[in-house]
Amino acid sequence: MLVLTRRSNQSIMIGDDIEVSVLSIMGDKVRLGIDAPTSVPVFRTEIYLEIQDQQADREIAKGGSDAAEVARGAATSVEDAVSPGEPA
């Protein structure tokens, strides 16, 4: 994991076309702005995990257990990640 320090109104680039900016810092909350092409999905982690679970449930309902296991495995590995500022 790459760890960077940024101040308010500073940003980082991911590749050539994704910019993550620190818009403001208020106490323990940081507001981020993400400028990315519309073809790049951007979600909060908890929303992403919900989407992955729903997709896995749909695969199970269709009888595609292999795809559901892969989808659940991806969600588990993301879920195990610790967000910045959270105790490990």
Side-chain angles (χ1 to χ4, degrees), residues 54-74:
Q54 289 173 2
Q55 289 175 343
D57 290 344
R58 275 190 233 119
E59 288 297 323
I60 290 170
K62 289 181 188 176
S65 61
D66 291 341
E69 288 178 29
V70 170
R72 287 203 187 279

Side-chain angles (χ1 to χ4, degrees), residues 2-3 5 19 36 44 58 60 66 76 86 88:
L2 174 64
V3 178
T5 302
E19 182 176 10
R44 295 186 332 244
R58 275 190 233 119
I60 290 170
D66 291 341
T76 301
E86 289 183 359

Side-chain angles (χ1 to χ4, degrees), residues 10-11 19 22 28 33 39 41 51 54 61 63 66-67 74 80 84 86 88:
Q10 293 182 330
S11 62
E19 182 176 10
V22 178
D28 63 347
S39 62
I51 292 168
Q54 289 173 2
D66 291 341
D80 292 340
E86 289 183 359

Side-chain angles (χ1 to χ4, degrees), residues 33-62:
I34 302 168
D35 186 15
T38 56
S39 62
V40 177
V42 178
F43 300 104
R44 295 186 332 244
T45 302
E46 60 273 18
I47 301 299
Y48 174 80
L49 294 174
E50 285 181 34
I51 292 168
Q52 293 300 310
D53 283 344
Q54 289 173 2
Q55 289 175 343
D57 290 344
R58 275 190 233 119
E59 288 297 323
I60 290 170
K62 289 181 188 176

